[in-house]
Amino acid sequence: MVREWNPRNASSDEITSMLDALNAVLAADLPQDPPWREISLREYLSEVMPGERRISWIAEAEPATDDASGPIMGHVNVLLLGGIGVLEVLVHPAARRTGLGRELVRVAARRVWDEGFQSIGVEVVGDTPAVGFYESLGFAREYVETRSVLDLNAVGWSALAEMATGVSAGYHLEFCPGGPPDDLIEAYARAKAEVRDVDDGELRPSSYDPERLRASLDTLHRRGMKPYIVLALHEQTGEVAGLTEVVVPAQHPTRADQYDTIVVRDHRGYGIDRAIKSRMLLELRSAEPELAEVQTWNAQANEAMLKVNAELGYRPDREWCEYSVDVAELVHRLDAHR
């Protein structure tokens, strides 16, 4: 049975069942990824940025008794932002090839259509069954990144410390746990806005103005995700010349997520990119002693950053793809095969 579901007021048993289903999927599809934990999972599933909405559904197995709920075997949520609905689908390995995945997509797609959106996007992990599933539904690949993973146990820390000091004179680095200080938010936003024209995918938009940046940081904290920032500041002007962002989620605190790394165009060629990423890893070593890995995503055309990551010890893991489809076409296709 598929029913609309609100994680904000879901029972504790439902949240636990959701976690069990998620970890079963990870074990089957991404066995090298760490299992998730229940801490702040409810908030992760329910909190969104201002102006965005997330709608969720679950599919439950038949309960063993009349007074109990069945385990969650599938979940779909769609995040409505901008002009697109961003889809996430989870089907327990035991429930695959039963038509459940198609039904979950159909329910979500129908709602996206009813809400007046024209397209649906989804992130699809390479070398998993999701690739064939979405392509069979008419989704087209729009963008590809490479995910790379850094094993902190394999890092040469002395070499890293040397790289962290390799920035040219006239710049200094500043570590900002929790986010940049408020007096640097506007300069921070200007640095991020400079690269807004770079094609970095549509499903994980960056924030380019101060108020949205504040909202983004607040949302991360409410979802149980702690941001860390390293800034390269130009001493003569006080401007943010470069920045790198890493987020440590409470749900999988042994593996952090690298977000944006940006060097402002006028400040390139001074060793900032390598220095700020090295400094970040050095700070995380003490700030997050449980941390064992950092994962990052890079466009395959971004050779400069791929080179820096390789020097730091990141190893390519798999492709991470964005797919999209016209909502009307998807709804028609799914309704026709019911």
Side-chain angles (χ1 to χ4, degrees):
M1 177 184 72
V2 176
R3 63 177 174 89
E4 194 164 334
W5 183 71
N6 186 349
R8 194 180 300 276
N9 55 29
S11 69
S12 297
D13 287 345
E14 287 176 342
I15 296 296
T16 299
S17 185
M18 173 63 71
L19 178 67
D20 291 341
L22 170 60
N23 281 332
V25 170
L26 285 175
D29 296 345
L30 294 167
Q32 303 305 316
D33 283 28
W36 282 41
R37 305 177 185 180
E38 193 166 334
I39 182 170
S40 297
L41 182 59
R42 182 189 304 275
E43 292 76 14
Y44 179 87
L45 294 168
S46 57
E47 296 291 343
V48 296
M49 287 276 288
E52 299 176 357
R53 287 184 294 143
R54 180 179 281 114
I55 309 171
S56 300
W57 297 261
I58 57 172
E60 298 166 297
E62 289 296 324
T65 61
D66 291 340
D67 58 351
S69 297
I72 292 175
M73 304 304 289
H75 170 251
V76 59
N77 74 75
V78 61
L79 180 65
L80 303 176
L81 72 158
I84 192 170
V86 181
L87 194 67
E88 289 183 308
V89 179
L90 176 156
V91 177
H92 194 289
R96 291 176 177 175
R97 299 187 180 279
T98 65
L100 176 57
R102 293 178 68 94
E103 178 62 13
L104 290 168
V105 173
R106 189 195 68 80
V107 169
R110 172 61 66 177
R111 176 64 66 85
V112 173
W113 174 251
D114 290 343
E115 295 278 350
F117 287 74
Q118 302 301 310
S119 63
I120 287 180
V122 63
E123 286 191 337
V124 181
V125 182
D127 297 323
T128 67
V131 175
F133 171 71
Y134 285 108
E135 290 181 352
S136 74
L137 297 180
F139 283 78
R141 186 179 297 196
E142 302 288 348
Y143 181 73
V144 180
E145 292 180 311
T146 297
R147 184 179 78 165
S148 299
V149 179
L150 175 64
D151 179 358
L152 295 180
N153 290 321
V155 166
W157 292 104
S158 59
L160 202 72
E162 185 175 345
M163 284 190 277
T165 62
V167 65
S168 297
Y171 300 93
H172 74 270
L173 306 188
E174 186 169 323
F175 176 59
C176 309
D182 198 66
D183 62 341
L184 286 175
I185 282 283
E186 291 190 6
Y188 192 85
R190 284 194 294 272
K192 289 174 75 78
E194 182 175 298
V195 296
R196 74 173 68 195
D197 294 331
V198 175
D199 181 14
D200 59 355
E202 186 177 6
L203 307 187
R204 284 176 284 156
S206 293
S207 300
Y208 302 119
D209 67 83
E211 289 310 310
R212 186 164 176 83
L213 273 170
R214 290 186 179 95
S216 178
L217 290 165
D218 180 62
T219 303
L220 283 173
H221 285 289
R222 286 187 285 109
R223 297 184 82 197
M225 306 167 75
K226 186 172 183 179
Y228 292 92
I229 312 292
V230 171
L231 303 176
L233 299 175
H234 186 228
E235 294 174 351
Q236 183 176 356
T237 64
E239 285 295 298
V240 173
L243 62 95
T244 191
E245 306 163 333
V246 168
V247 172
V248 180
Q251 299 82 16
H252 52 90
T254 62
R255 179 180 286 192
D257 299 327
Q258 173 78 60
Y259 280 28
D260 284 343
T261 297
I262 294 168
V263 179
V264 174
R265 188 171 292 105
D266 289 344
H267 301 281
R268 293 174 186 171
Y270 297 101
I272 290 174
D273 49 3
R274 187 177 292 101
I276 57 178
K277 295 195 77 167
S278 300
R279 173 69 178 274
M280 174 66 79
L281 295 173
L282 291 166
E283 295 287 357
L284 289 174
R285 189 184 188 190
S286 56
E288 293 285 342
E290 192 176 0
L291 191 64
E293 298 171 309
V294 181
Q295 58 186 1
T296 187
W297 294 262
N298 295 104
Q300 295 174 339
N302 191 350
E303 296 179 2
M305 191 55 65
L306 289 171
K307 180 181 178 182
V308 169
N309 287 340
E311 291 174 356
L312 294 173
Y314 283 88
R315 295 293 176 261
D317 175 45
R318 62 179 68 220
E319 289 186 343
W320 219 265
C321 312
E322 292 185 7
Y323 280 72
S324 67
V325 69
D326 179 82
V327 174
E329 293 179 4
L330 179 61
V331 169
H332 176 75
R333 182 179 293 111
L334 291 170
D335 283 348
H337 288 86
R338 289 195 72 190

